[in-house]
């Protein structure tokens, strides 16, 4: 970026007029063929409209009743100190600083704070990005608890097609915890990284006319090669979740979207959602879920409350336990000291027991059982990686836990 | 086609295994980039999965309760005589002969017959194709009844962008009744026809790398030129409905998808639906609605019963009255003698008062008020035009009316 970034108010998608009018004027259009849906500030419109840009599949759900509300009128004035900052910031200021699109803060089961911005509202199915992975991880832990999936088994035992790929001899647990060692870089600022090739393969970006690479998620996975020994360290690679998706699909005999519907959406009473699909109709478990913020919060509440009879105890324990902090990538995540990644969830190992589903550009589900706290937040921060908002968001979640229990 | 067509049993999409397995084998894939979704017999899978192939937008609805059932056990054995045939055919035989995917026959408000085939079930959002137009026509008649849309006004009065197109000086009524005279041919067997160029423009088919034509629905409409005098005869051209969509959007200040939700889906209690969109996110009112068969039947019932307080009397009267049979295209529709097209509905002017929403490949909503009959039928007949199934379907609907009132 050469120009200074617009702030949250200046980049409000309604103010900017993206896709407003019939038709929107040419300079206010958001077009897939130009990759506009990845260009800030057009992202602030696109993240709430992804199924209008790409093919998707329905996650069948229920007509859910609203969560209870017990709004804390003054919570927006709550002050906290961002990382590496000296000045205090309020919750309301933090929402703008993180380009929040919507937030629900729940304490002991009731919504105590609720805000909406731009084109995002209660019925919007906003893209969850990599929070989707935590749903996949939860499905995996359910199957493990039911004895249907062996975390010690090798990937190739479930998906023989991956035997010759870098994933073939990794264990299911290594895939779940992203400690596989494969040649796939996830640098959102490098168009030649693994995630860039992947995005083209699955249709999230247009391909050049002379493109001859893989054309679907699973075809792409077969091209990923080994790069070192599995199990030695956590390295964040979305491709792990697509491998997990393939495994889950084989074990359960149904697509990720149908599994979400049958195992989570219907029993938890969540409203219908969408999952983006690749050209073969495969749901993008690595980041394609689009759902209502309140349904994200309900899912978090179910986990905070111990599974509500839908998610087995053993699965809840695995999620709450987290991964191995010794394997974490401390260099890449300076705002997450002592954290781990396990079962496709991020764990703080903090005194509030806080763990998190996280997606690029600020998507967050924060569950802190010891504080009785569940926070669901959609955002469209201009920086993809957590480094853009973690220095504000992480201390804010922790401060909210303290304040609401004071 | 050079090979004989597979019959309904041989072309059953489950039997053929389209898109079954994780991943489906290469020879069993249905891929947009090859235009597979328009190729029989792959269509038998695709018509029930269109949102997985193309971008779409949600029509918000309700969690609806099922229609009452009063199943008539022997109805499948009902015999009737197809047009130009000597041998009798039963209802059950007719369903196979017309490649039916699902059918609901309602008499006096209760489902008396229900069948599902292949990959289509009660929750499937099957594509409605041009039945979508009758929803648009109903929205238009609602706005006319409310005094918000003047059927005598010229198109250009509502959409100045179309002033220089062939549609500019047509009246809203001529657009509604498809008596405009423009240079747009709708021959589904000719890839160079207007509908072919249109399909490429809106993304329903891939474009060649050197394509430089319009890239969205409304851009395409501006390129359609005049060809004769409006009002002299009915000629079926989908582009009329997209013009109508543009007008409705301007008058109502909301998209077609949102108008469906607010004016029909929520008040009638229909379940969530999808509408395919063009690259600008414009819902395809000419043929992009994907909905549950039971919701199609509910819509038909609402019209049969006089609008249920949701659709004004004046709009119901306009729909039930039909168009001018003298302007009909008797040559093109030999199976529809004496019919007319009005308000985006097809009218038989028969003694049972039967009128119909119709879409290519056999999509049908048949409403016969004098027989107390509403029939909703999804199909994937290999022939796009009604000539493929009308010789069976039309006499069948009429025979059902007689039998159920005998």
């Amino acid at each position: 970026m050469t120009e200074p970034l617009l702030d949250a108010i200046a980049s409000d998608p309604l103010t900017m007029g993206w896709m407003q009018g019939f038709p929107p004027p040419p300079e206010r259009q958001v077009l897939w063929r130009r990759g506009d849906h990845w260009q800030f500030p057009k992202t602030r419109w696109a993240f709430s409209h992804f199924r209008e840009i790409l093919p998707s599949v329905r996650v069948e759900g229920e007509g859910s009743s609203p969560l209870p509300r017990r709004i804390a009128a003054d919570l927006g004035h709550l002050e906290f100190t961002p990382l590496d900052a000296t000045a205090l910031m309020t919750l309301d200021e933090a929402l703008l600083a993180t380009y929040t699109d919507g937030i629900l803060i729940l304490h002991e089961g009731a919504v105590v704070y609720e805000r909406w911005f731009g084109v995002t509202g209660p019925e919007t199915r906003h893209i969850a990005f990599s929070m989707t992975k935590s749903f996949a991880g939860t499905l995996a832990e359910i199957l493990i608890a039911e004895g249907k999936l062996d975390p010690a088994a090798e990937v190739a035992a479930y998906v023989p097609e991956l035997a010759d790929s870098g994933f073939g001899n990794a264990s299911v647990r290594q895939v779940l915890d992203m400690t596989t060692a494969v040649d796939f870089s996830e640098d959102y600022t490098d168009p030649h990284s693994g995630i860039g090739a992947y995005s083209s393969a699955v249709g999230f970006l247009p391909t050049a006319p002379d493109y001859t690479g893989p054309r679907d998620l699973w075809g792409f996975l077969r091209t990923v090669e080994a790069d070192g020994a599995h199990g030695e360290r956590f390295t964040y690679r979305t491709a792990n979740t697509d491998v997990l998706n393939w495994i889950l699909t084989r074990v359960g005999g149904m697509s990720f979207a149908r599994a979400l519907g049958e195992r989570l959406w219907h029993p938890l009473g969540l409203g219908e959602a969408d999952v983006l699909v690749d050209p073969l109709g495969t749901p993008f478990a690595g980041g394609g879920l689009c759902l209502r913020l309140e349904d994200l919060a309900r899912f978090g509440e179910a986990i905070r409350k111990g599974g509500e009879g839908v998610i087995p105890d053993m699965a809840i324990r695995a999620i709450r336990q987290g991964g191995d902090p010794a394997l974490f990538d401390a260099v890449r995540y300076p705002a997450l000291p002592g954290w781990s990644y396990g079962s496709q969830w991020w764990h703080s190992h903090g005194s509030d027991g806080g763990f998190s589903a996280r997606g690029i550009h600020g998507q967050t589900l924060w569950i802190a059982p010891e504080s009785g706290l569940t926070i669901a937040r959609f955002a469209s921060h201009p920086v993809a990686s957590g480094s853009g908002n973690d220095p504000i968001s992480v201390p804010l979640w922790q401060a909210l836990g303290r304040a609401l229990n004071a």
Side-chain angles (χ1 to χ4, degrees), chain A:
Chain A
M1 298 272 179
T2 50
E3 298 175 37
L5 287 174
L6 297 174
D7 69 16
I9 291 172
S11 67
D12 180 289
L14 283 175
T15 306
M16 300 209 78
W18 304 120
M19 298 293 267
Q20 306 299 311
F22 307 105
E27 72 279 10
R28 296 293 157 182
Q29 298 178 354
V30 179
L31 298 176
W32 174 85
R33 64 176 175 272
R34 296 191 304 220
D36 286 349
H37 50 300
W38 296 115
Q39 300 297 322
F40 178 84
K42 294 178 182 175
T43 48
R44 305 212 69 194
W45 180 88
F47 291 178
S48 289
H49 294 86
F50 248 88
R51 72 168 280 183
E52 298 168 46
I53 299 170
L54 290 167
S56 62
V57 64
R58 166 176 285 99
V59 177
E60 291 187 12
E62 303 279 339
S64 56
S65 51
L67 287 164
R69 257 68 176 173
R70 196 167 60 233
I71 300 298
D74 287 339
L75 199 58
H77 303 303
L78 173 75
E79 291 183 319
F80 71 102
T81 310
L83 282 185
D84 307 320
T86 51
L88 290 168
M89 180 180 274
T90 67
L91 167 57
D92 284 342
E93 290 166 348
L95 299 185
L96 292 178
T98 54
Y99 297 76
T100 292
D101 295 329
I103 187 167
L104 289 171
I105 300 174
L106 283 79
H107 186 234
E108 301 297 354
V111 176
V112 296
Y113 187 83
E114 174 177 13
R115 289 284 300 278
W116 302 98
F117 298 86
V119 295
T120 308
E123 292 301 319
T124 302
R125 272 72 172 179
H126 191 288
I127 190 156
F129 286 128
S130 293
M131 293 195 295
T132 312
K133 296 178 170 73
S134 304
F135 287 85
T138 303
L139 290 178
E141 292 294 350
I142 292 173
L143 292 178
I144 290 170
E146 293 175 345
K148 295 173 183 160
L149 175 63
D150 177 4
E154 287 193 353
V155 168
Y158 292 109
V159 185
E161 294 94 327
L162 288 175
D164 296 331
S165 79
F167 292 107
N169 62 346
S171 72
V172 170
R173 175 55 62 196
Q174 287 162 343
V175 168
L176 263 169
D177 294 354
M178 292 211 195
T179 60
T180 56
V182 294
D183 183 19
F184 178 90
S185 76
E186 187 132 347
D187 181 347
Y188 288 90
T189 63
D190 174 9
H192 302 290
S193 72
I195 196 74
Y198 171 95
S199 297
S200 292
V202 302
F204 292 175
L205 284 171
T207 50
D210 58 353
Y211 179 81
T212 58
R215 290 283 200 174
D216 55 73
L217 273 170
W218 291 341
F220 177 83
L221 294 181
R222 299 181 67 172
T223 70
V224 177
E225 298 183 0
D227 183 22
H230 302 306
E232 295 187 349
R233 68 180 67 86
F234 161 65
T235 309
Y236 189 81
R237 296 182 181 103
T238 289
N240 282 292
T241 313
D242 297 303
V243 170
L244 181 63
N245 182 12
W246 205 342
I247 294 169
L248 294 177
T249 299
R250 281 279 162 81
V251 171
M254 65 180 81
S255 76
F256 178 62
R258 194 174 138 205
L260 287 176
E262 294 194 4
R263 303 308 300 255
L264 296 173
W265 254 248
H266 276 300
L268 292 175
L270 310 185
E272 289 197 339
D274 310 312
V275 189
L276 305 179
V277 297
D278 79 351
L280 264 187
T282 304
F284 177 36
L289 180 63
C290 303
L291 77 173
R292 302 189 318 167
L293 187 61
E294 189 146 340
D295 292 321
L296 178 65
R298 279 173 183 276
F299 172 64
E301 279 290 283
I303 291 188
R304 183 184 70 80
K305 295 198 278 182
E308 295 189 324
V310 172
I311 305 166
D313 291 345
M314 180 178 160
I316 295 289
R317 281 198 304 275
I319 293 166
R320 287 194 178 186
Q321 176 188 310
D324 182 350
L327 304 185
F328 199 62
D329 185 346
V331 174
R332 184 164 168 187
Y333 306 103
L336 310 179
W339 285 47
S340 73
Y341 192 85
S343 307
Q344 308 273 305
W345 289 82
W346 302 77
H347 205 295
S348 76
H349 299 282
S351 60
D352 57 4
F355 57 98
S356 190
R358 292 160 52 88
I360 50 172
H361 300 283
Q363 320 316 316
T364 307
L365 175 63
W366 171 259
I367 303 167
E370 302 304 320
S371 298
L373 202 65
T374 296
I375 299 172
R377 195 263 304 273
F378 289 140
S380 43
H381 195 287
V383 176
S385 81
S387 64
N389 76 90
D390 282 341
I392 294 171
S393 303
V394 175
L396 172 58
W397 308 151
Q398 293 166 342
L400 278 163
R402 290 189 298 273
L404 290 166
N405 292 288

